[in-house]
Amino acid sequence: MSSTGGSSLSEGMLLGMGNPLLDIAATVTPEFLHKYELLADNAILAEEKHKPIFEDMHQFGEVDYTPGGATQNSLRTAQWMSGAPQFCTAFIGCIAADKHGEIMEKAMHSAGVRTIYQVNSTNSEPTGTCAVCITGDNRSLVANLASANCYTKAHLDNTENWRAVEKAQFVYSAGFFLTVSVESVLEVAKHCCKHDKPFMANLSAPFISTFFKDNQMMVMPYVDILFGNESEAEAFSDAQGFGVRM
């Protein structure tokens, strides 16, 4: 992307699909990680034993609340790097009609990212949150997807929402969204392939390759650019039987 004031950029040229989460971040202790059975540099989905972590983090004093989720963070960064006033990026995901969802939507708008949120009306799940537990240079992520886990392809099938897919010149989706609506990711990936648009994906976390490899490999034939770190690459290698170590 250009950083020359956005003269070569167009509205909605980069589309992201993912899990919108409100990040709750604090610097914690190794003992805190041990309490919740967390690794220092990892990302997991919250289990029942992790649910108290979001309140428990307040014991460390200052806690930061920011719009998060891997793809949403990437879109905010891309929008900032573009130098464009606003909306050369757009994001699709699911939130709830609650205070956290309202905070996130306003913050994303202020960041210049157009949000195309599906608002969960099928159950009482709140807007998703993610505990960001910082120790030194590491961060351990614990995501409670909640409403982010309720995204459905019906939202994508809406004519106005699909128009954002058609308008996009590039599409990016982190691997986490494969646990929510692989059919939506696949539909968009096929569209990109048909219309010669780069489709970008991310391995995102070792557990994606380990436990969701079938979903991952459904989409992989359509991926033009794949991101991942060493531990994620090794997990992918192990899951596919490649036997490659970093």
Side-chain angles (χ1 to χ4, degrees), residues 46-229:
E47 301 175 28
E48 194 61 35
K49 64 184 178 183
H50 299 119
K51 295 298 176 68
I53 196 172
F54 300 98
E55 288 299 323
D56 205 4
M57 291 177 70
H58 287 85
Q59 67 178 280
F60 297 103
E62 185 175 350
V63 176
D64 293 327
Y65 292 85
T66 56
T71 302
Q72 201 166 230
N73 279 337
S74 297
L75 267 288
R76 287 198 301 139
T77 302
Q79 179 65 45
W80 170 73
M81 291 180 65
S82 74
Q86 58 181 1
F87 306 139
C88 70
T89 56
F91 176 81
I92 288 175
C94 186
I95 64 172
D98 58 15
K99 182 178 179 180
H100 283 168
E102 183 179 345
I103 290 171
M104 190 151 52
E105 188 165 18
K106 287 182 178 179
M108 291 298 288
H109 187 275
S110 295
V113 181
R114 180 191 174 203
T115 54
I116 310 168
Y117 289 141
Q118 180 177 30
V119 179
N120 176 26
S121 59
T122 60
N123 55 45
S124 59
E125 290 285 0
T127 293
T129 50
C130 181
V132 183
C133 304
I134 302 167
T135 53
D137 294 330
N138 296 319
R139 90 285 181 268
S140 189
L141 307 180
V142 184
N144 180 28
L145 297 185
S147 276
N149 201 37
C150 298
Y151 187 84
T152 63
K153 188 173 172 291
H155 178 260
L156 193 64
D157 290 339
N158 176 278
T159 302
E160 184 176 348
N161 298 335
W162 184 254
R163 193 171 294 124
V165 177
E166 294 177 326
K167 180 183 290 188
Q169 299 175 38
F170 306 87
V171 178
Y172 172 71
S173 185
F176 298 114
F177 202 50
L178 295 174
T179 73
V180 175
S181 184
V182 64
E183 60 272 20
S184 298
V185 179
L186 193 58
E187 184 79 5
V188 174
K190 288 180 177 179
H191 166 85
C192 289
C193 181
K194 180 178 180 180
H195 296 278
D196 198 24
K197 302 177 182 180
F199 181 81
M200 302 168 285
N202 200 313
L203 295 175
S204 295
F207 81 89
I208 299 294
S209 295
T210 303
F211 299 110
F212 295 92
K213 65 178 182 180
D214 290 343
N215 287 3
Q216 189 179 59
M217 294 312 294
M218 287 172 63
V219 175
M220 199 62 73
Y222 303 98
V223 174
D224 296 291
I225 301 173
L226 181 66
F227 299 93
N229 62 26

